[in-house]
Amino acid sequence: MKKEPLDSTQIAGRQYEVEDYKREDELSSGLAVTHEQVSDDYMAGTIDVKLNNEKDEKNSIPRKE
């Protein structure tokens, strides 16, 4: 089966849909993977982590340049 190249008009304005996980075209597959990655990062939290010390004071983890 020969794949047709994606036309930029197919990509422009296209947003993730739940059905993209079941579709087999390249655009849907890419959107599903990207959605999964963003969802995983969102659920993992932010990089500005706060830690509680013994006195229940919050301290930021210093960033190394």
Side-chain angles (χ1 to χ4, degrees):
M1 181 175 149
K2 183 179 177 185
K3 290 186 177 181
E4 294 292 323
L6 291 175
D7 182 8
S8 62
T9 58
Q10 290 176 296
I11 299 171
R14 177 77 154 67
Q15 296 179 355
Y16 164 78
E17 298 171 357
V18 176
E19 293 81 22
D20 286 333
Y21 280 103
K22 298 176 185 172
R23 295 180 183 147
E24 295 185 14
D25 62 285
E26 185 177 2
L27 178 57
S28 296
S29 175
L31 286 170
V33 168
T34 301
H35 177 266
E36 187 70 25
Q37 291 171 338
V38 170
S39 178
D40 289 347
D41 285 345
Y42 177 77
M43 295 307 290
T46 62
I47 61 170
D48 58 344
V49 178
K50 303 277 185 188
L51 296 177
N52 291 331
N53 64 12
E54 293 176 9
K55 297 179 184 178
D56 240 358
E57 297 172 359
K58 291 190 176 185
N59 298 316
S60 295
I61 296 175
R63 294 185 183 178
K64 295 180 181 179
E65 297 294 327

